[in-house]
Amino acid sequence: LVIVVCVCGTARVANNAAWASEESIMHASQRTCPMSAKLLFAEAMSLYRDAQWTLALQVLGQALTVLPDYDNVHLFAAKIRLSPCTLDAQEHAMHIPPDVRK
């Protein structure tokens, strides 16, 4: 009984480290199931919140490779592409004045 408690306790401590932050949960989940469309979608949402729009679109592309009919991925990709923040970043990257878009 003591051995079982020690083994389970050690595993529990290791699992608790994975729950330390949202980022550590994401990394642990990706190690478990690296080609999960839902995890890729969650990663893209996190990247979007960090204003990494290009990388978010790349991750959404990976999610669509895994599950092409995932509607939320299509909708979120459209949101990123049509977002004023994204459009402003694209204009800045291409050196196009904002009034040209009108």
Side-chain angles (χ1 to χ4, degrees):
L1 181 64
V2 173
I3 294 172
V4 172
V5 170
C6 289
V7 170
C8 291
T10 304
R12 184 72 171 169
V13 169
N15 286 339
N16 284 343
W19 288 86
S21 68
E22 185 175 324
E23 184 178 348
S24 64
I25 292 171
M26 182 73 68
H27 289 301
S29 300
Q30 288 173 338
R31 282 192 305 272
T32 303
C33 188
M35 293 306 293
S36 167
K38 287 186 178 186
L39 281 175
L40 291 168
F41 179 65
E43 181 182 357
M45 289 176 57
S46 177
L47 291 167
Y48 177 77
R49 284 192 299 266
D50 293 340
Q52 297 182 32
W53 301 296
T54 304
L55 191 54
L57 286 172
Q58 290 173 358
V59 172
L60 289 173
Q62 292 174 355
L64 288 175
T65 302
V66 174
L67 188 60
D69 295 332
Y70 196 175
D71 291 337
N72 288 342
V73 172
H74 288 286
L75 292 171
F76 195 61
K79 175 183 177 179
I80 292 173
R81 288 187 184 105
L82 298 175
S83 169
C85 297
T86 307
L87 292 174
D88 291 341
Q90 289 172 355
E91 289 170 355
H92 180 65
M94 295 172 23
H95 305 291
I96 298 173
D99 60 326
V100 172
R101 185 176 46 173
K102 294 178 183 174

